[in-house]
Amino acid sequence: MIEDDFLNGYRSKNHMISEGYAYAISADWYRQFQRYLKNPSGVDALRFNKILNFNIIERVIDKSPSLKQYSIPPFKQINYEHIYGLSQDAKPIIDFFVVSIDVWHYFKKHYTSDYDIIVFVTKQHPQMQKYFLCDNLDEGLCICRDVINVLFIIVFPRNYDNLQAIITPLCPWMDLIKFRTFIFSMYNLGIDTIKFSNEAFLYYNNKKVPFRGNRTLNEVEINLDIQIVMACQNLKMQDFEEEIEIDFEEQQQLKNLQNKQEFLEKLEKALCEEATIKQNIKSISEIQQSLEQNDFFQI
């Protein structure tokens, strides 16, 4: 590896962190790399050590995938993987830094690592309690530390022989579109991902939810540690409630209809009040006219 080529390659990467996800990296290793950037001729980049993130990972407990409640034929095996999240005790700058996806892949290509550690990048939400900021974030974003752990099982279309299970941290404030991008980038499904996105459903807590739309995970009640099954098949569960998604256009039409109904109700009430006022004015006029005529009997 030639030093100039390495530096040019590093500088050409996208260093800004966009909404979705990014990577945490050991502060000890990253500081060593920063010293190298300040004085490339004084440090041999080839002799950098492997990136060791062991001290900043969140320890996870293995959970056994369960498909008993679904009408799935006996399967041969489940491929089980972990996606590691950041330890709740780890402190920004002191214990770790956050780098973009491009930068992390560049580092890993040249130095390898013991663990890839995911962090979630979201827009700040009023109900979000734990988050932090860093210099290389796009405007209006933060690193969310409100994280849940999800056992995610993928049931492939018309193929029950080889199921995929992933235990992964998730941020409940990410939306379903970002969730899809995250899952597909973490694992190569080997299928038509666009078709799978449009046809798949999520099954959890006796619910069936479309795997599409711009709702956040929290809005579809994915906000606690949970097991989720994703499948294109219409799986059968006992006593599940299907959640029907309303797209944006339908939401807008429904909102317009509600606004029209509220307007008509207010208009009807105003017209009734106006009629009553006019009737009272007329009665007062008649009384005044009778008084002027001194016709008390008419009053």
Side-chain angles (χ1 to χ4, degrees), residues 53-107:
N53 283 334
F54 179 78
N55 290 331
I56 59 173
I57 64 169
E58 182 70 21
R59 305 295 190 269
V60 293
I61 301 174
D62 287 343
K63 299 180 180 179
S64 299
S66 174
L67 295 169
K68 293 179 180 178
Q69 71 206 88
Y70 304 96
S71 58
I72 295 179
F75 48 86
K76 293 182 179 178
Q77 64 177 354
I78 292 185
N79 294 327
Y80 193 34
E81 296 182 7
H82 282 87
I83 296 173
Y84 290 93
L86 182 64
S87 168
Q88 290 294 321
D89 297 328
K91 298 178 179 59
I93 301 177
I94 297 174
D95 299 316
F96 69 91
F97 287 85
V98 177
V99 296
S100 69
I101 297 171
D102 283 352
V103 169
W104 172 256
H105 287 166
Y106 192 72
F107 283 159

Side-chain angles (χ1 to χ4, degrees), residues 122-176:
T122 65
K123 297 174 184 175
Q124 293 188 33
H125 191 280
Q127 295 180 346
M128 190 184 297
Q129 297 179 354
K130 298 179 181 178
Y131 64 91
F132 65 91
L133 305 175
C134 55
D135 293 337
N136 50 337
L137 279 173
D138 281 344
E139 187 176 355
L141 301 180
C142 67
I143 308 293
C144 175
R145 301 202 72 166
D146 284 334
V147 174
I148 57 178
N149 289 299
V150 171
L151 177 57
F152 195 75
I153 304 171
I154 303 172
V155 180
F156 297 97
R158 296 167 296 280
N159 181 7
Y160 299 105
D161 291 339
N162 190 8
L163 307 182
Q164 176 66 39
I166 305 171
I167 187 163
T168 177
L170 286 179
C171 169
W173 306 114
M174 68 193 308
D175 59 38
L176 282 170

Side-chain angles (χ1 to χ4, degrees), residues 286-299:
E286 291 174 349
I287 292 172
Q288 186 177 1
Q289 185 178 2
S290 299
L291 287 172
E292 290 174 355
Q293 295 174 357
N294 294 322
D295 190 350
F296 295 101
F297 293 102
Q298 285 189 13
I299 299 174

